[in-house]
């Protein structure tokens, strides 16, 4: 079997909560034991409510946050313990696109300077930089004449194109896109999604695409992982997941997507209560207090992810 491009094993990220001066009181279990593998060239969508740990997973994989536990393997190589210098070299292959490009593009730099930064950091020679920058600005649908402008002179969609160009500068293999279209108007969202798909073909990219929006995830993903309170509850081929969600949480999420076809009758399942706090998660299955199908066992025993109908599900119903 081919080695997956990326493998994540038992990944945990706990944030320590500080109380008073030195006393630490407990932790926020933002990511609480996640296993994933991503194949070369595919798009793995990660979906779940706000606060369930999606961004933390993305950042911990790139080691922008230090994992508390677990392993990250890139092309079979364990990158979890690489030192800062080795990790910088590795970042050539692993890049991130963020939700809000305004917050991550330096307003004092021109687009040309922004795109040059990763090249300089990776010691790409000056004479190679110009053609690379000019090629990349065009592949994201902007033009060379935009290079000497500043970020504030662009629209939100154009700024996200610049954010994508920056991520592409070193021709990475894997891009983790964290809510890349969530800040954009719906009409612009599909343009950016189409751009990401075109770039995937052109450069053979692999994506982890993070979003709270199932519609967006459905559009772009090959497989989808559904997260709830720091864990994956269902991981499946996209078409299977949308045809027949198995986990009660996935069923709830899917029931809330508006459908265009008025004949397609479906019942919207309403969830009881709010997302519990990851600093004090419920015992047993973390979803049990809100689950419409909760049984006694769910309150005490954590359901493992297991293979059911060709996908992975963490639920005592199966
Ligand atoms: N730097 C941090 N320090 C403490 N808690 C954090 C930090 N970053 C995220 N969290 C907490 O971790 C949980 C998951 O956050 P996040 O990964 O941002 O979720 P999502 O991206 O799914 O909205 C949330 O409860 C959030 O408040
Ligand atoms: Mg997030």
């Amino acid at each position: 079997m081919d080695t997956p491009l990326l493998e994540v094993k038992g990944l945990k990220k706990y944030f320590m909560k500080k109380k008073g001066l030195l006393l630490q009181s407990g932790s926020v279990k933002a990511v609480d034991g996640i296993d994933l593998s991503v194949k070369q060239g595919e798009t793995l969508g990660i979906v779940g409510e706000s606060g369930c740990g999606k961004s933390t997973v993305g950042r911990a994989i790139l080691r922008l946050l230090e994992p508390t536990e677990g392993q990250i393997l890139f092309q079979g190589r364990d990158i979890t313990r690489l030192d800062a210098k080795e990790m910088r070299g590795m970042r050539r292959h692993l890049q991130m696109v963020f939700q809000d490009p305004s917050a991550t593009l330096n307003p004092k730099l021109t687009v040309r300077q922004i795109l040059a930064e990763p090249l300089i950091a990776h010691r790409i020679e000056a004479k190679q930089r110009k053609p690379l920058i000019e090629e990349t600005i065009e592949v994201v649908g902007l033009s060379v004449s935009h290079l000497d402008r500043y970020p504030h002179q662009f629209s939100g969609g154009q700024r996200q194109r610049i954010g994508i160009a920056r991520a592409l500068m070193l021709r990475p293999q894997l891009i983790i896109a964290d809510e890349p279209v969530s800040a954009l108007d719906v009409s612009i969202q599909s343009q950016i999604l189409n751009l990401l798909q075109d770039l995937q073909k052109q450069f053979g990219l692999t994506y982890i695409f993070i979003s709270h929006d199932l519609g967006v995830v459905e559009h772009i993903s090959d497989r989808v992982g559904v997260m709830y309170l720091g864990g994956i509850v269902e991981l499946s081929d996209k078409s299977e997941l949308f045809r027949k969600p198995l986990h009660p949480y996935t069923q709830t999420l899917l029931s809330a997507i508006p459908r265009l076809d008025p004949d397609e009758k479906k019942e919207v399942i309403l969830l009881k209560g709010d997302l519990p706090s990851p600093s004090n998660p419920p015992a047993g299955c973390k979803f049990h207090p809100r689950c419409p199908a909760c049984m006694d066992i769910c309150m005490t025993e954590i359901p493992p992810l297991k293979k059911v109908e060709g996908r992975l599900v963490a639920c005592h119903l199966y």
Side-chain angles (χ1 to χ4, degrees):
M1 238 172 71
D2 292 344
T3 311
L5 185 68
L6 180 85
E7 257 187 297
V8 172
K9 296 182 179 172
L11 181 67
K12 292 186 182 175
K13 177 64 191 179
Y14 294 175
F15 295 104
M16 288 304 158
K17 283 200 296 187
K18 294 203 176 67
K19 191 180 172 190
L21 276 177
L22 291 168
L23 284 178
Q24 288 190 331
S25 79
S27 55
V28 178
K29 295 175 173 161
V31 175
D32 202 11
I34 276 190
D35 298 290
L36 288 176
S37 86
V38 189
K39 286 177 285 212
Q40 167 77 45
E42 78 167 338
T43 299
L44 175 70
I46 295 188
V47 72
E49 283 165 281
S50 172
C52 71
K54 306 180 295 297
S55 296
T56 306
V57 172
R59 285 164 196 256
I61 290 173
L62 295 192
R63 292 196 43 216
L64 300 172
L65 288 169
E66 278 312 313
T68 305
E69 229 181 276
Q71 258 188 325
I72 300 148
L73 295 111
F74 183 72
Q75 293 178 316
R77 178 179 178 201
D78 190 342
I79 62 167
T80 330
R81 317 243 171 273
L82 296 186
D83 65 25
K85 184 160 169 271
E86 291 170 312
M87 196 57 216
R88 266 201 302 281
M90 194 47 92
R91 291 237 169 79
R92 230 193 135 110
H93 310 296
L94 305 136
Q95 289 284 320
M96 188 132 185
V97 172
F98 298 93
Q99 170 170 357
D100 182 4
S102 320
T104 53
L105 299 176
N106 186 338
K108 298 201 181 93
L109 300 183
T110 63
V111 175
R112 188 184 296 280
Q113 290 168 321
I114 289 169
L115 299 186
E117 272 185 335
L119 301 178
I120 295 168
H122 286 264
R123 297 174 204 278
I124 309 289
E125 280 180 54
K127 65 171 188 288
Q128 289 178 21
R129 284 181 222 150
K130 189 165 183 275
L132 259 175
I133 290 170
E134 294 185 352
E135 182 191 326
T136 311
I137 198 72
E138 288 186 340
V139 295
V140 299
L142 295 171
S143 66
V144 173
S145 66
H146 288 120
L147 287 172
D148 297 305
R149 298 189 197 166
Y150 292 87
H152 75 268
Q153 295 174 286
F154 294 90
S155 68
Q158 288 175 319
R159 273 200 290 269
Q160 192 53 293
R161 288 177 193 267
I162 299 166
I164 293 167
R166 182 179 53 185
L168 275 180
M169 286 314 299
L170 295 159
R171 302 296 183 262
Q173 301 191 52
L174 177 77
I175 291 185
I176 301 186
D178 187 1
E179 307 268 9
V181 301
S182 303
L184 303 175
D185 289 348
V186 174
S187 58
I188 310 293
Q189 289 190 356
S190 51
Q191 291 175 15
I192 298 294
L193 294 175
N194 291 339
L195 171 67
L196 287 170
Q197 287 181 311
D198 291 346
L199 295 171
Q200 181 166 43
K201 281 192 213 110
Q202 190 173 345
F203 294 100
L205 292 165
T206 304
Y207 290 140
I208 295 181
F209 189 99
I210 297 172
S211 177
H212 69 280
D213 184 334
L214 262 170
V216 165
V217 164
E218 182 177 18
H219 181 102
I220 199 154
S221 310
D222 299 306
R223 285 189 306 137
V224 178
V226 179
M227 273 187 80
Y228 186 79
L229 217 60
I232 299 259
V233 297
E234 185 160 0
L235 184 67
S236 167
D237 267 354
K238 174 191 60 185
S239 47
E240 283 300 294
L241 187 89
F242 282 84
R243 187 182 64 79
K244 191 179 176 201
L246 292 183
H247 196 285
Y249 179 62
T250 319
Q251 292 170 352
T252 315
L253 280 184
L254 286 188
S255 81
I257 312 184
R259 288 286 170 196
L260 292 176
D261 181 358
D263 294 335
E264 196 185 326
K265 289 262 180 328
K266 66 173 184 182
E267 199 186 336
V268 174
I269 310 167
L270 289 177
L271 274 187
K272 303 179 270 188
D274 296 325
L275 187 68
S277 160
S279 52
N280 186 21
C285 171
K286 288 180 177 177
F287 185 57
H288 88 256
R290 301 172 83 190
C291 182
C294 180
M295 304 174 290
D296 284 347
I297 185 178
C298 309
M299 299 180 214
T300 51
E301 280 184 40
I302 300 174
L305 257 186
K306 60 180 174 223
K307 232 182 176 147
V308 184
E309 299 187 31
R311 85 253 337 244
L312 295 169
V313 190
C315 178
H316 291 303
L317 284 174
Y318 304 98

